[in-house]
Amino acid sequence: MRRIDTQADLAAGLAKLLEIAPELRHVAERAGPLPLRRSSPDLKGLARIVTAQQVSLASAAAIFSRLEALLDPFDPDTLSRTQDAELAAAGLSRPKIATLRAVEGALGDGLDLAALGDLPGEDAQARLEAIKGIGPWSAEVFLLFCLGHPDVFPAGDLALREAVRHAFSLEARPDQRETMRRAEAWRPVRGIAARLFWGYYRSVTGRGAGLPA
């Protein structure tokens, strides 16, 4: 399966998913059209995801808007010249500031975020998680929405797991292990399945934009 770079790629991926998992057709019908929602595979894209960790979509958008105004241009050199107090004033917590500093250091040591798209998903995720403060969720969301990886499913995301619970009429929200077990059936387009379930979550709950980034 090719990278998800265009709306046509997304449509082809969804067709492939429904071919291998026709039981998800009712999920697709309820979710409606899926937005492409791509961000740049660079510091700005990763910083947007870090900003979104453990806050509401509205709060993340407000904080990131202030961060964009502060870091202009939004690149490692500008970040290095910006004081932690300025980042805090924009709304970033101390742990998130530490994460951005770790990302800054990794980029300074030669990490090429865009080039991670040429690696297998597991290898790219491991490179990202080697950065202090970047956990599985942040790495997986970067792979999905900044690199267009077609086969990543962030099972730690509560909205995804709640959507799976609702779609399969489960009595309780599945844990990460159970969610990943179910997602195995959706290879090699688990990334399409993730987008589909985020859209489904938005539809059934009326909350969020359906995607985390």
Side-chain angles (χ1 to χ4, degrees):
M1 181 66 200
R2 61 182 296 168
R3 291 193 322 186
I4 308 302
D5 289 327
T6 67
Q7 204 69 43
D9 296 333
L10 186 57
L14 181 58
K16 176 66 175 178
L17 175 63
L18 296 180
E19 177 185 326
I20 63 178
E23 68 275 10
L24 297 183
R25 290 190 180 279
H26 76 285
V27 177
E29 291 170 0
R30 182 66 184 270
L34 302 181
L36 181 62
R37 193 71 68 86
R38 285 291 303 273
S39 296
S40 54
D42 54 16
L43 171 63
K44 186 175 183 177
L46 187 53
R48 185 190 299 273
I49 294 166
V50 170
T51 302
Q53 292 172 349
Q54 298 179 323
V55 298
S56 70
L57 292 172
S59 294
I63 294 169
F64 193 74
S65 178
R66 293 192 292 270
L67 194 60
E68 282 186 298
L70 179 63
L71 302 180
D72 184 16
F74 207 122
D75 59 25
D77 288 340
T78 306
L79 177 58
S80 70
R81 294 193 299 268
T82 303
Q83 300 297 313
D84 287 2
E86 295 175 278
L87 297 173
L92 289 179
S93 66
R94 186 176 299 176
K96 290 182 180 180
I97 292 171
T99 297
L100 288 188
R101 293 302 185 198
V103 172
E104 176 191 328
L107 295 175
D109 289 339
L111 176 65
D112 185 338
L113 291 173
L116 295 179
D118 298 327
L119 299 178
E122 292 80 2
D123 294 343
Q125 184 170 341
R127 296 280 186 92
L128 288 167
E129 290 184 34
I131 303 171
K132 187 175 181 180
I134 301 296
W137 182 87
S138 296
E140 289 161 343
V141 170
F142 185 85
L143 290 176
L144 281 171
F145 296 113
C146 295
L147 293 176
H149 199 289
D151 195 36
V152 177
F153 195 92
D157 189 273
L158 291 180
L160 278 185
R161 284 156 50 198
E162 181 62 18
V164 169
R165 181 197 70 77
H166 192 284
F168 292 99
S169 301
L170 305 177
E171 291 186 3
R173 182 190 299 153
D175 60 17
Q176 292 190 45
R177 180 175 296 182
E178 170 63 15
T179 303
M180 284 304 297
R181 186 191 67 78
R182 288 179 177 272
E184 282 297 312
W186 307 326
R187 285 182 181 271
V189 285
R190 290 177 299 169
I192 300 293
R195 291 169 180 269
L196 176 62
F197 277 102
W198 271 311
Y200 181 74
Y201 177 82
R202 178 202 60 227
S203 177
V204 299
T205 67
R207 297 196 298 269
L211 299 173

